[in-house]
Amino acid sequence: MPTDTAGTGAQGIDVARRTAYGLILLDQRLPDIDGVDLLPQLLRLQPGSSVVLMTAYEAITSAVEAMRRGAEDYLVKSTS
């Protein structure tokens, strides 16, 4: 499986259009879009992929919304 990185949501969409992935690690806070909002677009481009949303800012409402939109899991990153 390929491994790629993208620093923005727009870059992530571009990469997802070119290559199939089994797992996508998605940060919630991107410079150009909220990862929760980007999630459905990625799943449309990558219907067989599992998406794990990550954040340093734990919020129950964001976790629930991410799971509702199709995230496989929601992880809180350590800030230390």
Side-chain angles (χ1 to χ4, degrees), residues 3-80:
T3 302
D4 291 303
T5 61
T8 67
Q11 291 172 349
I13 291 293
D14 186 50
V15 171
R17 284 188 175 125
R18 293 179 300 192
T19 308
Y21 298 94
L23 175 65
I24 297 171
L25 301 175
L26 176 62
D27 201 326
Q28 183 171 352
R29 294 206 178 170
L30 297 168
D32 58 344
I33 190 170
D34 186 295
V36 175
D37 294 330
L38 180 61
L39 179 60
Q41 296 174 58
L42 288 174
L43 288 172
R44 277 193 299 277
L45 291 168
Q46 300 280 327
S49 294
S50 295
V51 179
V52 175
L53 196 83
M54 303 177 301
T55 185
Y57 308 95
E58 184 174 8
I60 296 299
T61 56
S62 292
V64 169
E65 185 62 20
M67 300 302 277
R68 188 183 73 74
R69 292 188 185 193
E72 187 77 22
D73 206 347
Y74 185 91
L75 300 175
V76 179
K77 301 182 290 186
S78 173
T79 57
S80 57

